[in-house]
Amino acid sequence: NTSGILIIIATPTLSMCTLVICAERSTMTLRDHLFKRSEAWAFDWGKYKMIDFLQNHFPIKLRLTLWYVLLMAVTFTAFAVYLVLRFQNNLKSAMDASLQINVSQTIAGLDEEDYHETGVLTFDHTGQIQADVTDFAMRIISHAGVVWDTYGVVQSIPVWGSVEAGFSTQRGVGGEEEWRVYSQAIPDSKGQIIGWVQASQSLLPVTDSVQDLQDQLLLGIPLILLLAGFGGFFLANRAL
């Protein structure tokens, strides 16, 4: 009888505890759900507040002008990059053509009889070479790589590169200045290669010219965009 009474008393107690635990779990779940929803509502409200801020503080006239200036900035930047690369390639091509002409004229002025008599070839320093010696160098080497004669600032180029026909770019003394090198073979009357002529010119004038163009573009493009922005805002103000 006593045990039956305890069971009857304990059963409502366990049921009540179970209800309390379930109620607490439901409350925690509802609280977490409401907290997440409140965060989402706060985010949406902040987004709408930002949109309202932009609409209130940046009218459609100003927004149209900003889009117009942004589009022009992208266009001018792409054009400036293309212009700088094109300008640099044109200057290098002109330098390559000048080196090729100098080497061809030098080879045409060499005397093959001197080679048969002395075993070496030398420059005709009486006017065959027309170049600025401050940033120009030229040398004649044998087929085995022995230097026969030099002209200009040869000491500025520690490495001339491999002896093969064509162009190459080498580093000067200190590794800062670049030099453009052109090599061409010297054939004898039988078509045999008896030596090489190598001519080199500093790329510093090309670098300075490209840098000057970049400075002008960096100064001019912002001014153009500023004027375009004022003009676009004036037109938008008149149209809207």
Side-chain angles (χ1 to χ4, degrees):
N1 293 336
T2 305
S3 61
I5 293 172
L6 292 175
I7 292 173
I8 294 172
I9 294 173
T11 301
T13 304
L14 292 174
S15 301
M16 183 63 67
C17 292
T18 304
L19 290 174
V20 171
I21 293 173
C22 293
E24 289 181 354
R25 290 180 178 177
S26 300
T27 303
M28 293 176 61
T29 304
L30 180 61
R31 184 172 57 201
D32 294 340
H33 180 70
L34 291 177
F35 180 74
K36 292 180 180 179
R37 291 297 300 173
S38 63
E39 287 184 343
W41 291 337
F43 176 76
D44 292 339
W45 176 252
K47 181 174 66 175
Y48 293 140
K49 290 281 289 183
M50 180 62 68
I51 295 175
D52 292 338
F53 174 80
L54 293 176
Q55 290 180 349
N56 294 330
H57 292 79
F58 293 93
I60 188 172
K61 302 173 186 179
L62 184 58
R63 280 179 285 165
L64 288 175
T65 304
L66 291 177
W67 278 109
Y68 172 68
V69 172
L70 179 61
L71 180 61
M72 288 193 64
V74 173
T75 304
F76 276 116
T77 301
F79 177 74
V81 172
Y82 168 78
L83 183 63
V84 169
L85 294 178
R86 184 76 175 179
F87 181 66
Q88 185 177 18
N89 290 333
N90 288 340
L91 290 179
K92 286 186 176 180
S93 298
M95 180 176 291
D96 290 346
S98 177
L99 288 174
Q100 193 170 10
I101 291 173
N102 279 325
V103 170
S104 299
Q105 291 178 349
T106 301
I107 293 176
L110 296 177
D111 192 353
E112 187 178 346
E113 293 182 0
D114 292 340
Y115 172 73
H116 293 299
E117 292 177 0
T118 62
V120 297
L121 291 171
T122 58
F123 290 119
D124 182 6
H125 297 279
T126 60
Q128 289 292 332
I129 304 173
Q130 301 293 331
D132 185 4
V133 294
T134 60
D135 61 353
F136 181 84
M138 184 180 288
R139 69 178 187 172
I140 302 177
I141 61 177
S142 67
H143 191 57
V146 179
V147 179
W148 284 340
D149 198 4
T150 61
Y151 177 83
V153 286
V154 183
Q155 66 277 4
S156 299
I157 315 171
V159 179
W160 287 74
S162 59
V163 182
E164 57 183 14
F167 294 93
S168 64
T169 302
Q170 305 297 330
R171 290 285 181 178
V173 176
E176 297 180 357
E177 187 178 357
E178 290 186 339
W179 288 73
R180 192 68 169 165
V181 180
Y182 176 69
S183 303
Q184 185 172 332
I186 306 173
D188 59 7
S189 57
K190 298 179 181 179
Q192 300 294 325
I193 297 177
I194 58 177
W196 292 82
V197 173
Q198 291 183 308
S200 180
Q201 190 167 359
S202 172
L203 287 172
L204 185 61
V206 174
T207 304
D208 291 341
S209 299
V210 172
Q211 185 63 43
D212 183 64
L213 178 61
Q214 291 178 349
D215 294 339
Q216 293 182 15
L217 290 174
L218 290 176
L219 179 63
I221 290 179
L223 292 177
I224 294 175
L225 294 177
L226 183 63
L227 295 176
F230 282 116
F233 185 78
F234 174 76
L235 293 177
N237 191 28
R238 294 290 301 271
L240 300 177

